[in-house]
Structures are given as C-alpha cells and as structure tokens.
Amino acid sequence: MQSIMLKAKLHQARVTHAVLEYEGSCAIDANLLDMTGLREYEQIQIYNLDNGERFTTYIIRGEAGSGIISMNGAAAHKASPGDRVIICAYGNYSDAELANHKPKMVYLMEGNEVSHSANAIPVQVA
C-alpha cells in the first residue's frame, strides 16, 4: 500500500519577486532546494500566510545564495513580494518506507536565511 506523505517543507519563506511575464512557476534559491531535497520541476503546494491563497505549481532553480523565492506566471497573482509562504512537497511512500520516513523541514527568517531545520513537527498542545 502507498501513502502520500510530506516530503519536504520550507516554512515561512518570504516572496522576493512576483513576475507575471516569466516562464516557469516558482524559482527557489538552489541552496534551499539542496537542503530540503526538493528538485527542479517537482510539483509543490504553496500556502500563503498573508492572504490565505493555496495553490499548486512547480519549482525552477533559482540562483544559489540569492534567497530568491519568485512567483512567476499565473502564480504571481497569488503572492506578492514580502508575503510569507509555506512551500511543501509530498511523495508516495510504501509501508516499508514509512517505518523510517522523516520529512525535511527548513525554517526561514526574514531574508530567507535559515533559522533551523527539523524532521518532525512538535506536538501541538491544547
């Protein structure tokens, strides 16, 4: 049996660009891709914390070390520079793979500098 599970997440990334007339959908700093294992052309979900938009797009590789998170094409209508977004990718995993599966999560600060990383989300308390 296969289960769809969180593969990787960039938490509270800041949108740096919104370019309507550009081919490609979401450019992400190559260093951030490498840290999370995300890949160019991989499907992602983007959740905009500032306006509530949730949308699906794909990754294009951004300049390493630039901190770029650019919404391009139609995605430029969903997020503006300065918006905080959560970028997630999901994968299909077998029961055997799930025994050791841990998502790669990278938490970002303003300027898209890495605050810390984790492989689990803390338990939410009441």
Side-chain angles (χ1 to χ4, degrees), residues 1 6 13 19-20 28 30-31 36 38 42 44 52 65 70 72 77 80 84 87 92 102 107-108 111 123:
M1 185 167 152
L6 180 65
V19 185
L20 186 60
I28 300 174
N31 292 345
T36 56
L38 294 171
E42 185 170 5
I44 52 175
S70 183
N72 301 319
H77 290 289
S80 300
R84 296 169 303 139
I87 300 171
N92 287 314
K102 299 285 185 194
Y107 296 81
L108 302 173
V123 172

Side-chain angles (χ1 to χ4, degrees), residues 10 13-19 22-30 32-33 38-47 55-63 67-76 78-79 83 85-88 112:
L10 290 169
R14 302 287 175 131
V15 175
T16 59
H17 300 77
V19 185
Y22 191 87
E23 184 178 350
S25 218
C26 181
I28 300 174
D29 181 316
L32 296 174
L33 296 180
L38 294 171
R39 303 173 69 120
E40 191 167 27
Y41 310 118
E42 185 170 5
Q43 179 177 306
I44 52 175
Q45 297 286 318
I46 299 179
Y47 314 122
F55 56 99
T56 303
T57 189
Y58 64 92
I59 297 168
I60 60 174
R61 196 167 192 84
E63 180 183 359
I68 191 169
I69 302 290
S70 183
M71 300 301 154
N72 301 319
K78 304 287 188 180
D83 284 358
V85 295
I86 298 169
I87 300 171
C88 294
N112 293 328

Side-chain angles (χ1 to χ4, degrees), residues 86-125:
I86 298 169
I87 300 171
C88 294
Y90 300 87
N92 287 314
Y93 298 91
S94 68
D95 288 339
E97 292 171 312
L98 288 176
N100 296 311
H101 174 69
K102 299 285 185 194
K104 294 180 182 176
M105 297 177 287
V106 174
Y107 296 81
L108 302 173
M109 301 180 293
E110 195 167 344
N112 293 328
E113 295 173 12
V114 175
S115 164
H116 63 283
S117 62
N119 294 111
I121 296 172
V123 172
Q124 184 172 346
V125 295

